[in-house]
Amino acid sequence: MSYSVGQVSAFAGVTVRTLHHYDKAGLLSPGDRSQAGYRLYDDADLVRLQQILFYRELGFSLDEIAAILKDPQANAVEQLRARQRQLSEEIARLQRLAEVAERAIEVQQTGVPLTPQERFEVFGEITFDLSYATEAELKWARSDGQREAMTRAAAHTKDDWRRLMGEAAAWRAELLAAFDEGERHDGERAMDLAEEHRLHVSRWFTSCPPDMHRRIADDFVADPRAFALVVPPSQQRPGLAAYLCRAVHANAARHAAGRADSEEGNR
């Protein structure tokens, strides 16, 4: 039995233009023509069209579909396995994004509403880059620390944020002074400032052992958006992010040495 292009378009759910395109691309050329020259599709053509639409739904390009249909036994299984892996990764990524959206909704619902004026009053030049926040949430989504930090941040009142940001501003002034005065990153002053920052994170957001603090500091060097949450761009100096990162690592090493001495003393 033969079917016109209009009939195939209707029951396959594709446009006539798409069928013409498949024909011109050599992907689906109808098996016959009417006396007037119109395309006529037979049952074998419809089976091929089903295969094309199946692979298109899975996201294959027309060139990839043509290669599969040219030699299904040689190409289909490996192509489908590769697509399955890609789709599984995409599903996982979308699931994480859905979790981020859910968390953002929770924060919006439970957070402290601030007018633009109040936001500037509380946060000053410190701004929260949405793209960085999303990436961070994806990166640490399965971390207990990230979940605790988000929950505690959402519970902070306006006065909490004022105290928090006041502490951060005072600490930042000391950090800038130490850096400008040439204090060594592994000197007592710099390490004490690193320790203050670690305790600040623990006090206001989540428990921050030295190992976690090192990872946070590494982000300061790797991503300017992370460091901008600690020191706004207008106050930054060349090398300051690396200086703070090294001070945090030195402080973590100091903690490790202290634990080792304590354990030795208990033996």
Side-chain angles (χ1 to χ4, degrees), residues 256-267:
R259 285 196 303 272
D261 289 344
S262 177
E263 291 171 2
E264 183 66 27
N266 291 329
R267 287 176 183 171

Side-chain angles (χ1 to χ4, degrees), residues 128-149:
F128 296 85
D129 187 306
L130 183 59
S131 64
Y132 175 74
T134 301
E135 289 172 21
E137 178 70 11
L138 288 174
K139 182 178 180 180
W140 306 108
R142 307 204 180 280
S143 161
D144 290 340
Q146 174 72 6
R147 287 192 291 271
E148 181 187 2

Side-chain angles (χ1 to χ4, degrees), residues 50-246:
Q50 282 184 318
Q51 292 175 311
I52 293 168
L53 296 178
F54 168 72
Y55 289 118
R56 286 295 286 162
E57 184 68 19
L58 290 177
F60 286 96
S61 69
L62 295 185
D63 288 341
E64 289 172 329
I65 296 172
I68 292 172
L69 295 182
K70 184 177 180 180
D71 190 354
Q73 295 302 318
N75 296 299
V77 173
E78 284 306 313
Q79 292 272 18
L80 285 169
R81 282 176 178 162
R83 184 62 64 189
Q84 182 187 37
R85 288 192 294 271
Q86 293 172 0
L87 289 171
S88 296
E89 291 170 0
E90 181 66 7
I91 289 169
R93 187 185 73 84
L94 291 173
Q95 180 61 42
R96 291 195 299 272
L97 282 174
E99 291 170 1
V100 169
E102 181 178 3
R103 176 65 68 179
I105 290 169
E106 291 175 1
V107 170
Q108 289 295 325
Q109 289 177 337
T110 62
V112 180
L114 297 175
T115 67
Q117 292 80 7
E118 289 172 327
R119 185 170 296 279
F120 182 79
E121 175 192 340
V122 172
F123 295 106
E125 294 182 74
I126 299 293
T127 59
F128 296 85
D129 187 306
L130 183 59
S131 64
Y132 175 74
T134 301
E135 289 172 21
E137 178 70 11
L138 288 174
K139 182 178 180 180
W140 306 108
R142 307 204 180 280
S143 161
D144 290 340
Q146 174 72 6
R147 287 192 291 271
E148 181 187 2
M150 293 292 290
T151 300
R152 289 179 62 186
H156 289 339
T157 66
K158 191 187 303 181
D159 286 339
D160 288 335
W161 281 110
R162 284 197 178 96
R163 288 195 296 272
L164 182 165
M165 296 305 292
E167 283 184 15
W171 170 85
R172 186 164 56 249
E174 291 295 324
L175 172 70
L176 294 172
F179 181 78
D180 291 342
E181 292 166 16
E183 292 282 348
R184 289 175 54 86
H185 72 271
D186 56 354
E188 289 294 323
R189 185 178 178 186
M191 288 192 293
D192 287 348
L193 284 166
E195 178 67 6
E196 283 183 34
H197 181 264
R198 187 183 73 82
L199 295 176
H200 175 84
V201 173
S202 296
R203 185 161 51 251
W204 291 105
F205 297 105
T206 184
S207 176
C208 184
D211 284 347
M212 177 187 288
H213 200 211
R214 280 201 298 259
R215 293 194 297 272
I216 292 172
D218 288 342
D219 263 1
F220 295 159
V221 177
D223 195 326
R225 298 171 301 176
F227 190 52
L229 295 175
V230 179
V231 180
S234 67
Q235 298 181 35
Q236 291 178 14
R237 281 86 158 137
L240 180 60
Y243 175 81
L244 177 57
C245 180
R246 289 195 294 268

